[in-house]
Amino acid sequence: MTQEERALAFAALHRKGDPIILYNIWDAGSARCVAEAGAKALATGSWSVAAAHGFSDGQKIPLPLLVAREILAATDLPLSVDFEGAYSEDPAQGAANVAQLIDAGVIGINFEDQIVGKSGIHPTDRQVARIRAIREMAERQSVSLFINARTDLFLKESDETRHGDLINEAITRARAYAGAGASGFFAPGLADADLIGRLCAASPLPVNVMMKPDAPDVSTLAAAGVGRISYGPFPYRAMVAWLRAEAEKVYGGGGK
């Protein structure tokens, strides 16, 4: 398939009530493993990619390492890259940075509204301008880039009993981001099935939920109307925990 055909195929996998499941990867090896397991598309997680290269999350890993050419070469599946805040608060520069991913063959990004490296979230109108700049750039490149517009409202609020107070703002942002050209709406940290259902019903975009230990199961999320389920850093963390445990068996038993 051409890049545009992969982009359109990826978008078509986002169906309300029949979500695409993305078991997030971090390098060419993990990409091949997940592809061979039956994945229809691939997506990186920024935390995992950074950790695998020895960096912390939060745009600490050098931009060239996120272009993911080795992952693109490992499989023929559509690839979405978790691009955090596009490495710039400036709309034009952020769009130029995303263009590097498109040039490599990437067909989708996660793009978040938190101010990376700081405590706040971009005002809605500011984030709208940033999304619009990316969409206009992608249109000039003739690629239907899947912009998965992420809100960090729920991740920033650690008290899940207060997430209900944030739903209306999340819906407002979903609608605004859709108007700016976003393709999906990502709400990591939201785990209450009823609140997820409210967001899915009101959002004009397919809603992405991150699977985490206290999240509802896949069938519950599908029934709530979710269009995309991703696993974020949890596959990498599980792999590292397994590796450490196996190494401890060797070295704890006197291995050399």
Side-chain angles (χ1 to χ4, degrees):
M1 292 190 292
T2 66
Q3 184 177 16
E4 176 65 0
E5 287 170 341
R6 288 196 301 273
L8 295 174
F10 182 68
L13 292 170
H14 293 72
R15 296 184 291 267
K16 182 177 180 178
D18 182 22
I20 178 177
I21 298 177
L22 297 169
Y23 199 71
N24 295 84
I25 52 101
W26 53 89
D27 61 10
S30 59
R32 276 200 200 94
C33 272
V34 172
E36 290 168 359
K40 296 179 180 179
L42 299 173
T44 65
S46 67
W47 194 97
S48 306
V49 173
H53 286 85
F55 296 90
S56 58
D57 200 16
Q59 299 183 167
K60 298 296 193 301
I61 183 172
L63 179 57
L65 292 178
L66 287 181
V67 175
R69 294 183 186 277
E70 75 285 355
I71 297 176
L72 287 159
T75 82
D76 292 327
L77 294 177
L79 175 66
S80 178
V81 168
D82 186 348
F83 207 43
E84 300 191 76
Y87 279 69
S88 177
E89 294 182 22
D90 176 70
Q93 184 58 56
N97 293 340
V98 175
Q100 297 182 47
L101 299 180
I102 292 178
D103 289 344
V106 171
I107 52 77
I109 60 167
N110 281 359
F111 181 54
E112 60 200 48
D113 60 12
Q114 72 164 301
I115 305 173
V116 178
K118 302 176 184 178
S119 60
I121 292 178
H122 287 288
T124 301
D125 58 349
R126 178 66 174 172
Q127 188 66 2
V128 160
R130 299 171 78 219
I131 292 169
R132 183 173 289 118
I134 294 171
R135 173 56 65 208
E136 290 173 352
M137 176 278 300
E139 289 177 348
R140 290 193 297 271
Q141 299 269 31
S142 299
V143 174
S144 300
L145 182 73
F146 195 99
I147 303 173
N148 198 32
R150 168 178 142 173
T151 185
D152 282 75
L153 288 169
F154 303 104
L155 282 181
K156 294 288 188 181
E157 177 50 76
S158 59
D159 183 355
E160 294 189 2
T161 66
R162 301 183 64 182
H163 282 183
D165 299 333
L166 300 173
I167 282 292
N168 286 340
E169 183 177 351
I171 291 169
T172 296
R173 285 180 177 259
R175 291 171 176 167
Y177 296 172
S183 316
F185 187 70
F186 185 18
L190 184 62
D192 182 276
D194 291 337
L195 294 178
I196 291 170
R198 283 178 57 189
L199 178 58
C200 290
S203 172
L205 300 172
V207 171
N208 179 187
V209 171
M210 185 168 68
M211 186 64 74
K212 58 178 189 166
D214 63 340
D217 60 23
V218 170
S219 61
T220 301
L221 291 174
V226 169
R228 173 170 169 169
I229 297 171
S230 53
Y231 282 73
F234 295 105
Y236 180 85
R237 290 176 179 175
M239 182 277 296
V240 169
W242 175 87
L243 182 62
R244 183 181 295 111
E246 292 300 303
E248 287 173 350
K249 291 178 186 178
V250 172
Y251 295 111
K256 295 182 180 180

